[in-house]
Amino acid sequence: MGNLRSVRNALEAAGAEVCVTSRSEDLQRAERIVLPGVGAFAQGMRNLEASGLVEALRTEVLDRGKPFLGICLGLQLLAREGRENGSRAGLGWLGGIVERLRVEGKGLKVPHVGWNEIEIVMDSPLFAGLGGAPSFYFVHSYHMVCDGDDTVAGTCDYGGPFTALVLKGNILGTQFHPEKSQTNGQRLLRNFIRWRS
């Protein structure tokens, strides 16, 4: 999960007390949980399984309802399936699959790297102070295609619309990197730290 340091720094700047861990007992003590990540879907799932955290995450987030934030790959792993280098089951917390961005013939490159506006389409205290079309920083080649619109909280356009934000109950996910998104990223992280889902 290659963005651990920058996520930690951004959360601390937003006022959080951060514990970086791969121990289930730390998850039990945590008030809220952040799963960052860069890299490939299959490797990310293998890492979670090897660390023994899949069941602990499920217990703390789904059963106990702790506020959860998945960032980039951390969002994608919530899907039931990823299709990066073949098909692989994900955590399955949200209905959807993870597919490669399709920008052929549109003069755009993959990975999608840089700042883009998103359209927030769901009301939540998590998005307070962001306005209707805030800019965030993206680095990704894949995105989640949700089964329906009920969990899509924000979209971005890069050769076509894709899911940039998901929200379901106590689960928030961002395809962009709030830790690299300056003022808007800090506001979103502060909102998450104060969030009572």
Side-chain angles (χ1 to χ4, degrees):
M1 305 292 176
N3 53 347
L4 280 177
R5 180 176 292 181
S6 59
V7 170
R8 178 183 191 142
N9 291 342
L11 284 165
E12 288 177 343
E17 182 180 329
V18 179
C19 171
V20 177
T21 186
S22 59
R23 299 173 357 134
S24 58
E25 54 267 37
D26 290 330
L27 295 183
Q28 293 169 12
R29 286 192 289 268
E31 183 178 306
R32 54 199 69 230
I33 296 171
V34 177
L35 179 63
V38 294
F41 189 98
Q43 186 62 51
M45 281 304 302
R46 279 195 294 272
N47 290 343
L48 281 181
E49 290 165 351
S51 65
L53 289 180
V54 171
E55 197 53 43
L57 283 168
R58 186 179 311 277
T59 298
E60 299 306 319
V61 177
L62 298 185
D63 298 344
R64 297 189 175 141
K66 290 184 178 176
F68 172 89
L69 169 60
I71 298 174
C72 196
L73 180 60
L75 173 156
Q76 295 177 3
L77 295 177
L78 304 177
R80 70 173 178 278
E81 178 185 344
R83 296 182 175 169
E84 186 173 3
N85 302 321
S87 180
R88 174 72 160 85
L91 293 170
W93 295 0
L94 299 179
I97 59 173
V98 176
E99 291 185 339
R100 186 172 173 82
L101 288 166
R102 296 180 186 207
V103 298
E104 295 82 11
K106 298 174 181 173
L108 300 171
K109 294 180 179 179
V110 174
H112 167 212
V113 178
W115 291 86
N116 280 90
E117 285 185 354
I118 69 167
E119 180 182 4
I120 295 175
V121 297
M122 192 180 286
D123 285 332
S124 169
L126 286 163
F127 312 133
L130 291 175
S135 291
F136 289 94
Y137 189 79
F138 289 83
V139 182
H140 66 124
S141 299
Y142 288 78
H143 66 112
M144 183 187 290
V145 179
C146 295
D147 289 346
D149 292 338
D150 58 328
T151 58
V152 177
T155 62
C156 182
D157 193 299
Y158 188 73
F162 68 87
T163 301
L165 269 170
V166 295
L167 178 60
K168 180 182 178 184
N170 58 312
I171 299 170
L172 171 68
T174 68
Q175 183 56 70
F176 54 82
H177 288 265
E179 77 279 11
K180 297 180 185 293
S181 297
Q182 301 179 4
T183 303
N184 286 332
Q186 277 293 296
R187 183 172 296 274
L188 183 65
L189 293 175
R190 283 198 305 273
N191 291 345
F192 174 72
I193 291 167
R194 298 175 183 137
W195 185 37
R196 300 282 181 248
S197 57

